[in-house]
């Protein structure tokens, strides 16, 4: 039965991703909105619904570790695993608005959640504040898109009709794709969680790994398919939009439905939330250099995700190698990565200034 759930969930995810990307890209062409804006809104909201369903269900069942681990783990997975896999297939185009607006918003949200949960709890009042911030962000996003700040709108192909019936069909494709994504993610999470629980793994680790990857499968399927279909802006926008909505919508509503607010464990405050924030910060210099994510940068993301999961497994098992592993990561790998990111940004700025000087223009 577990195998059937897994295979059925995988099939539903693949079919749902195809329908969602096809319908969303056609809507983008018909309405004049860029694939980036569609990815940041419609697609991001749809692919975040599994996290929302899992979070609210876990909060009502009193499993706070699973609810928090799901959101934090999903955000880490979205950047390191999904963007890493997508960039490994093909370099990803990063729109300017992501660098100057949406990624800073993601970083700000990550820092805000760290601050709000420092006392070990996200109260209902704080959840309500995050939800209001979500409404403000969506309003700002759509407002800037109408003013032309959402990237280049796609050229509508001549063979794509823009009539009412055509738009209704595209909306039906999006809705059906979202439904299949949610159903597929639910089946896969149920199958994987049953296996993990039987192995005696804690709820927090299950939430940070198995459930986080399971609820991120819609983002994985949608982003990879968007890359294969040439909608690379939608792939990146989907990840960034999903991360913002996970913090401002999923975490907010999860706290709101919890009678006493949402308890946040010491391990999450000490390690996982800082990792999530560091991952968000790392996006800015990587996106800035060349306005793209290169294949080797995608490989680095994947390597860091493997290192993060290895740490969680060593910690869960209480392995003797954990102290040495942590020391190597903190004393060598992390500082070397930070230095590399700084050098990449300085090199990119020097190159742009030199190019602007040669063309007779000002610096960017």
């Amino acid at each position: 039965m577990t195998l059937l759930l897994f295979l059925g969930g995988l099939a539903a995810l693949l079919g749902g991703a195809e329908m969602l990307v096809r319908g969303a890209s056609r809507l983008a062409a018909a309405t004049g909105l860029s694939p980036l804006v569609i990815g940041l809104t419609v697609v991001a909201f749809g692919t975040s619904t599994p996290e929302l369903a899992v979070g609210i269900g876990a909060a009502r069942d009193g499993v706070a570790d699973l609810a928090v681990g799901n959101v934090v783990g999903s955000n880490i997975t979205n950047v390191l695993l999904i963007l890493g896999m997508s960039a490994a297939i093909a370099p990803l185009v990063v729109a300017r608005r992501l660098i100057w607006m949406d990624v800073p918003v993601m970083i700000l949200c990550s820092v805000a959640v760290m601050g709000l949960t420092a006392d070990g709890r996200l109260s209902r009042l704080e959840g309500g504040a995050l939800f209001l911030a979500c409404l403000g962000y969506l309003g700002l996003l759509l407002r800037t898109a109408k003013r032309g700040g959402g990237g280049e709108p796609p050229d509508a192909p001549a063979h794509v009709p823009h009539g009412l019936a055509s738009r209704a069909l595209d909306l039906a494709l999006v809705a059906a794709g979202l439904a299949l994504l949610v159903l597929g993610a639910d089946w896969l999470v149920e199958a994987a969680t049953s296996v993990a629980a039987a192995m005696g793994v804690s709820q927090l680790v299950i939430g940070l790994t198995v459930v986080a990857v399971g609820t991120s499968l819609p983002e994985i399927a949608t982003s990879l398919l968007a890359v294969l279909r040439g909608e690379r802006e939608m792939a990146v926008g989907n990840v960034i939009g999903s991360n913002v909505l996970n913090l401002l919508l999923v975490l907010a509503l999860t706290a709101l439905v919890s009678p006493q607010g949402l308890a946040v464990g010491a391990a999450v405050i000490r390690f996982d939330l800082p990792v999530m924030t560091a991952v968000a910060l790392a996006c800015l210099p990587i996106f800035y250099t060349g306005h793209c994510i290169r294949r080797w940068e995608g490989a680095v993301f994947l390597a860091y995700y493997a290192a993060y999961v290895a740490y969680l497994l060593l910690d869960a098992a209480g392995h003797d190698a954990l102290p040495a592993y942590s020391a190597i990561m903190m004393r060598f790998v992390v500082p070397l990565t930070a230095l590399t990111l700084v050098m990449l940004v300085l090199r990119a700025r020097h190159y742009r200034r030199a190019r602007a000087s040669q063309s007779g223009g000002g610096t960017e």
Side-chain angles (χ1 to χ4, degrees), residues 69-303:
N70 172 39
V71 170
V72 176
S74 291
N75 275 23
I76 295 172
T77 299
N78 284 349
V79 173
L80 296 184
L81 180 61
I82 298 177
L83 284 184
M85 292 174 60
S86 301
I89 295 174
L92 299 178
V93 177
V94 179
R96 291 179 181 272
R97 69 154 292 147
L98 280 176
I99 299 171
W100 303 117
M101 176 180 169
D102 300 293
V103 172
V105 167
M106 179 178 66
I107 295 171
L108 182 61
C109 292
S110 301
V111 173
V113 168
M114 278 188 63
L116 292 174
T117 57
D119 60 351
R121 183 171 299 276
L122 186 67
S123 68
R124 301 181 79 178
L125 179 62
E126 291 166 338
L130 289 177
F131 182 70
L132 290 177
C134 176
L135 297 180
Y137 169 70
L138 292 176
L140 178 63
L141 194 155
L142 294 175
R143 185 176 180 182
T144 55
K146 289 181 180 179
R147 292 181 176 178
E152 291 298 325
D155 295 327
H159 64 279
V160 177
H162 292 171
L164 183 61
S166 176
R167 294 193 184 187
L169 177 61
D170 294 335
L171 286 172
L173 276 176
V174 170
L178 292 178
L180 282 176
L181 286 173
V182 174
L183 180 64
D186 182 60
W187 286 352
L188 278 168
V189 168
E190 183 177 346
T193 304
S194 298
V195 175
M199 296 172 63
V201 182
S202 70
Q203 292 174 345
L204 176 60
V205 174
I206 290 176
L208 288 166
T209 54
V210 178
V211 179
V213 173
T215 54
S216 291
L217 283 172
E219 285 94 336
I220 294 174
T222 302
S223 294
L224 291 180
L225 192 59
V227 170
L228 294 174
R229 291 176 59 86
E231 301 285 357
R232 299 182 189 180
E233 278 193 354
M234 184 183 293
V236 182
N238 171 38
V239 167
I240 302 303
S242 292
N243 277 17
V244 173
L245 290 180
N246 282 346
L247 296 173
L248 297 185
L249 181 66
V250 176
L251 199 61
L253 293 182
T254 302
L256 284 172
V257 300
S258 303
Q260 304 299 325
L262 194 61
V264 181
V268 177
I269 297 172
R270 183 180 67 253
F271 179 73
D272 300 292
L273 278 171
V275 169
M276 182 191 74
T277 305
V279 167
L281 282 167
C283 287
L284 201 55
I286 289 179
F287 286 15
Y288 176 76
T289 54
H291 289 172
C292 73
I293 309 174
R294 301 173 181 86
R295 282 191 171 93
W296 72 267
E297 291 169 333
V300 170
F301 275 170
L302 290 174

